[in-house]
Amino acid sequence: SKGVEIHGMTLQPLSDAIRQRYDISKEIQGVLVVDVTEKSSAAEKGIRAGDIIMEISQEEVKTPQQVVEHLK
C-alpha cells in the first residue's frame, strides 16, 4: 500500500510487516511516517521519515485516517 498523504507526509499504519521492517516494538502505538516531501509543511515542522506519530493535541492516533481527521 502506498500510504496516506497529508501536508507532505506519507503515513502508514503500524502493521506487523512494518513493525518487523523498522524494528518497532508491539508496545508502541501510532502511525509511521514513511516519507516527507522536501519543503512541505511537515518538513518545516521537523518531521522526518521514520518518525512515529503517537498523538496529536493530546489525543492518541492509531491510524493514518485519524491523523488526517486531526490535521484537516
Side-chain angles (χ1 to χ4, degrees), residues 55-60:
E55 56 173 43
I56 295 173
S57 309
Q58 275 105 46
E59 295 218 16
E60 279 188 11

Side-chain angles (χ1 to χ4, degrees), residues 11-66:
L11 306 172
Q12 288 201 327
L14 290 177
S15 63
D16 289 339
I18 293 256
R19 287 178 186 281
Q20 283 184 325
R21 188 182 315 155
Y22 292 90
D23 196 25
I24 299 164
S25 88
K26 285 257 191 286
E27 283 77 64
I28 294 174
Q29 296 294 323
V31 177
L32 180 69
V33 180
V34 287
D35 194 43
V36 179
T37 305
E38 271 186 73
K39 298 185 174 64
S40 63
S41 58
E44 287 174 0
K45 289 193 172 86
I47 296 168
R48 298 282 173 263
D51 287 353
I52 297 172
I53 300 173
M54 300 171 79
E55 56 173 43
I56 295 173
S57 309
Q58 275 105 46
E59 295 218 16
E60 279 188 11
V61 289
K62 293 184 179 172
T63 67
Q65 290 72 25
Q66 288 176 325

